[in-house]
Amino acid sequence: MEADGGGDGRGGADGRGGGMVGDGLTRADRARRVAHVLRGQVLRGAFSGGVLPDERALVAEFGTTRNTVREALGLLRDEGLVERRRGVGTVVVGRTYEHPLGELSGLAEVLQRHGTVVNEVREARTVRAPGAVARRLELAAGGPVVYLERLRRVDGMPLSLDCTYLIPEVGEPLLALGRERLESRDVFDLIESAAGRPLGSAEVAVRAVVGDPATCGVLAMPGGGAVLAVERLTRLADGRPADLEFIHLRGDRLTLRARMDRVREG
C-alpha cells in the first residue's frame, strides 16, 4: 500500500524523475497534480476516441503509483468528466465548450460551432430599471428598461442562464419581434439587425461562485456546483451603453479561453 506522506518513489507526479522522493506531499496532493494535467487533456479533447490511457501507461507517464492514478481518476469521475467502463477503461463522458474572450460575440454565436443551440425565453418585458442597472446603462433612475431572461441549451443540455437589461431604444424593437425570434437568434445579432444599432465594445468581469439552489435547479446541475458568473456591459459603436447582462454558466461545462501577449515597456 502507498503511504500518504512521502513521495511515490518514482520521481513525483511531474514525471521528470529525481529529487522528489520524500517531498512531504500526501497522496491526495500528488493525485491532484495528476488530475490537473488529465483534466486539461480531457477538456481539450486530447484522447483519441474519448478513452484515456490505461492505468499502467498513466503510472509510467506521471512517474507515480497506481493508487495515485486511481485517486486522480476518481477526482475526474466525481466532476462528471470521466467514468469507468468494464472492458473499455476510463472514458470521457463530460463534454465542455470553449468561449473565446478575445472577441465580442454572443454566447449562442460561439456555441453554434459546437452543437444545436436552443434558447428558452423565460421572460421578456419592459420593467422599472433597478437603480444599479440604471446607473450602468446611463438611464434616468426608475425609468423603463427591457428585461430579457433566457435559458440556453446545447444539444439539449442546459448551459447558461442569461439575464439581460437593454436600453429601451434597443430592447423595444426586440420585444416587437416576438418570442420565436428571441428564441432563435442571438441578442447581439438582433441588436444590430432588428434594432439597427452596431455594437462597439464590451466590459466583462468573470467570477467563480457557488451556485444558489434556484440557479442550479434551472441549469440542471448538482446543488452547490461551481458557476461562472459573468457580468458584461456592451456599448454601441458610438460608446453609449446598450446592454447589461448577468450570465450564469455551468462551470463544469464551459471553458473561457484567451490569448494574451506580454506587454513590455520601452
Side-chain angles (χ1 to χ4, degrees):
M1 174 169 301
E2 179 187 45
D4 282 342
D8 286 322
R10 297 174 180 268
D14 61 1
R16 291 177 296 180
M20 293 294 289
V21 177
D23 57 12
L25 295 178
T26 66
R27 187 171 71 209
D29 287 326
R30 295 192 296 275
R32 170 178 48 80
R33 289 182 176 182
V34 174
H36 286 334
V37 177
L38 291 176
R39 184 184 298 107
Q41 292 177 288
V42 168
L43 297 181
R44 291 195 304 274
F47 297 114
S48 176
V51 180
L52 275 66
D54 61 28
E55 290 181 359
R56 182 177 300 179
L58 292 175
V59 166
E61 178 179 352
F62 289 96
T64 188
T65 65
R66 179 163 290 186
N67 283 342
T68 295
V69 166
R70 287 177 176 174
E71 191 163 329
L73 294 175
L75 293 174
L76 301 185
R77 181 195 61 232
D78 292 344
E79 295 174 20
L81 292 177
V82 302
E83 69 178 21
R84 183 77 176 177
R85 292 181 182 172
R86 184 179 297 275
V88 178
T90 302
V91 300
V92 177
V93 294
R95 184 178 181 185
T96 63
Y97 305 90
E98 288 193 358
H99 190 300
L101 292 178
E103 61 184 57
L104 180 54
S105 57
L107 187 61
E109 292 177 297
V110 173
L111 295 177
Q112 284 171 353
R113 308 168 190 171
H114 304 291
T116 301
V117 180
V118 175
N119 301 310
E120 174 191 333
V121 176
R122 295 168 54 86
E123 191 171 354
R125 63 191 178 97
T126 299
V127 301
R128 181 178 179 271
V133 171
R135 288 190 292 273
R136 295 292 305 279
L137 292 176
E138 300 179 8
L139 298 172
V145 67
V146 172
Y147 178 72
L148 176 62
E149 182 174 307
R150 301 194 297 178
L151 173 64
R152 298 183 190 273
R153 291 186 174 89
V154 181
D155 292 337
M157 181 184 70
L159 187 66
S160 76
L161 178 63
D162 303 0
C163 303
T164 306
Y165 294 90
L166 303 113
I167 62 174
E169 67 182 88
V170 168
E172 289 174 357
L174 271 60
L175 290 181
L177 295 173
R179 180 178 295 268
E180 182 178 349
R181 293 287 296 281
L182 292 175
E183 289 183 341
S184 62
R185 303 278 294 279
D186 205 327
V187 168
F188 280 1
D189 180 31
L190 292 174
I191 290 174
E192 295 191 313
S193 60
R197 304 287 182 175
L199 297 172
S201 62
E203 303 155 21
V204 181
V206 182
R207 294 184 300 124
V209 301
V210 175
D212 60 84
T215 299
C216 289
V218 172
L219 293 175
M221 59 185 294
V227 172
L228 294 177
V230 179
E231 182 176 326
R232 179 169 62 190
L233 177 66
T234 304
R235 298 180 181 274
L236 299 173
D238 61 12
R240 289 181 299 150
D243 164 302
L244 178 62
E245 295 176 277
F246 299 93
I247 307 172
H248 291 80
L249 302 148
R250 287 188 56 160
D252 60 342
R253 291 294 179 262
L254 194 81
T255 299
L256 302 178
R257 188 172 298 279
R259 171 180 172 172
M260 300 180 184
D261 296 320
R262 176 74 167 168
V263 177
R264 302 186 182 278
E265 297 181 0

